[in-house]
Amino acid sequence: MGQLTILLVKEIYYPILAIIGVPANLMTIVILFRGNCGLSKCISIYMVAMATADVLVLLINVMVYYIFSCHFPLSFLSHTPICKSILCMTVITLDLSVWFTVSFTFDRFIIICYQKFKTKYCMEKTVVVVITIIAALIFIKNIPFSFAYESEQIINKLEWGCQSSLAFFSSPLGVAWILFHTIWRVWLPFSLILLFNSLTVRHVLVASRRRRGLRGHSNENQSDPEMENRRKSIILLFTISGSFILLWLTAIMSFVITRMTNTTYYRGDRTDPAYIATETGAMLKLLSSCTNTCIYAATQRKFREELKKLLKSPWTLIERLVKNETKSI
């Protein structure tokens, strides 16, 4: 029963995730490119980068890997070179999603905590260079992945399927790469997000007390534009990074536990709690690729307005066409 339940959930969950997530992120990219949300160029570029990474995760990890490859096991996607490329791209896209979120968190940390430095750091060229360097490092870091898998069988001189290469994973290079990959994917990014957020909170609390002291008790009821801008930035920062950490938490915990206990959950029993926890973690982890659009709509008034305009635009176009057709008649 447990096996059927988790398989049924996956059958329903991943198509719905793709159907909702891809259009939502594409709309986010279009809205941010228009530049009418009242956001700075820097933050807009980071948000576009995160939305682009999320689209890639949904297209490759969800649609290609979890839907097409699983449902069409004898298609061209099962040829070993293509299969290896898909597996490699699933790692790259998740790395991009994780590290673009880290870079966004660091950017907000600099903007909020170091007002003097932000004019030098928060420039379009700087943001583009940072994003390009992160993407290049991720691609370089995953080069060994092409040696981590080999074909399962050869039929008519064609290699089919992918399986872990024992020679690679038992070699010193493979062991070192797995350790580095674990630090890169799990420990380092989430430690940095928590560190930057805690430093940001500390700075804001200290700055708030200092400003209240300077303004005096007589001005307590008056609005403070600077503190209001910081408050909005902090709300956006914490909702994005907070939801990201919460949705990845199950995947991280199951990853750590299975590594510590050397659990092999894929070989046989799909009612095993380790397997169910791993699959649940994967579903929640991929859900993080759909949440940012909802966060922007909930926290940014101008983004909500632009989203409404974009959703109404097809109907507005149809209405105009109908009116023009009526006039011509």
Side-chain angles (χ1 to χ4, degrees), residues 109-172:
F109 165 68
I110 293 295
I111 297 303
I112 295 171
C113 299
Y114 296 96
Q115 296 289 313
K116 294 180 180 179
F117 182 63
K118 78 173 186 178
T119 54
K120 298 180 180 179
Y121 177 79
C122 190
M123 300 172 60
E124 289 183 58
K125 292 182 179 179
T126 305
V127 176
V128 172
V129 169
V130 169
I131 290 173
T132 304
I133 291 175
I134 290 173
L137 289 175
I138 287 171
F139 276 93
I140 293 171
K141 169 251 180 186
N142 287 296
I143 288 176
F145 205 93
S146 58
F147 305 99
Y149 290 89
E150 59 188 13
S151 63
E152 291 182 338
Q153 55 185 332
I154 299 177
I155 303 175
N156 296 327
K157 297 182 179 180
L158 286 177
E159 296 182 334
W160 287 86
C162 293
Q163 63 181 0
S164 300
S165 172
L166 182 61
F168 174 83
F169 284 105
S170 60
S171 67

Side-chain angles (χ1 to χ4, degrees), residues 23-87:
N25 281 292
L26 290 176
M27 285 191 295
T28 298
I29 293 171
V30 171
I31 291 170
L32 293 172
F33 260 118
R34 288 179 175 179
N36 298 325
C37 297
L39 300 170
S40 67
K41 287 285 186 180
C42 294
I43 191 172
S44 296
I45 294 173
Y46 277 118
M47 290 165 72
V48 167
M50 289 190 293
T52 303
D54 289 341
V55 169
L56 292 175
V57 168
L58 292 166
L59 290 176
I60 296 173
N61 298 53
V62 176
M63 294 180 67
V64 176
Y65 182 73
Y66 278 106
I67 298 177
F68 297 147
S69 295
C70 292
H71 288 82
F72 304 100
L74 300 179
S75 68
F76 71 98
L77 297 174
S78 296
H79 288 306
T80 300
I82 298 175
C83 177
K84 288 169 66 175
S85 299
I86 292 171
L87 289 171

Side-chain angles (χ1 to χ4, degrees), residues 180-215:
F180 175 71
H181 177 73
T182 303
I183 295 171
W184 175 279
R185 169 71 65 80
V186 179
W187 302 116
L188 185 58
F190 294 94
S191 298
L192 290 175
I193 289 175
L194 292 173
L195 174 63
F196 294 145
N197 282 341
S198 61
L199 291 175
T200 301
V201 169
R202 179 178 176 276
H203 174 84
V204 170
L205 291 175
V206 172
S208 299
R209 285 195 293 265
R210 187 183 299 123
R211 285 184 66 84
R212 281 198 297 268
L214 291 173
R215 288 168 64 86

Side-chain angles (χ1 to χ4, degrees), residues 60-61 65 85-95 185:
I60 296 173
N61 298 53
Y65 182 73
S85 299
I86 292 171
L87 289 171
C88 184
M89 287 304 299
T90 59
V91 177
I92 290 173
T93 53
L94 282 175
D95 279 350
R185 169 71 65 80

Side-chain angles (χ1 to χ4, degrees), residues 276-304:
I276 295 174
T278 301
E279 292 302 311
T280 302
M283 288 189 284
L284 292 174
K285 175 176 66 179
L286 294 172
L287 178 62
S288 67
S289 298
C290 298
T291 55
N292 282 354
T293 301
C294 298
I295 291 171
Y296 302 154
T299 60
Q300 303 292 313
R301 179 180 58 81
K302 290 186 178 181
F303 184 89
R304 285 197 299 272

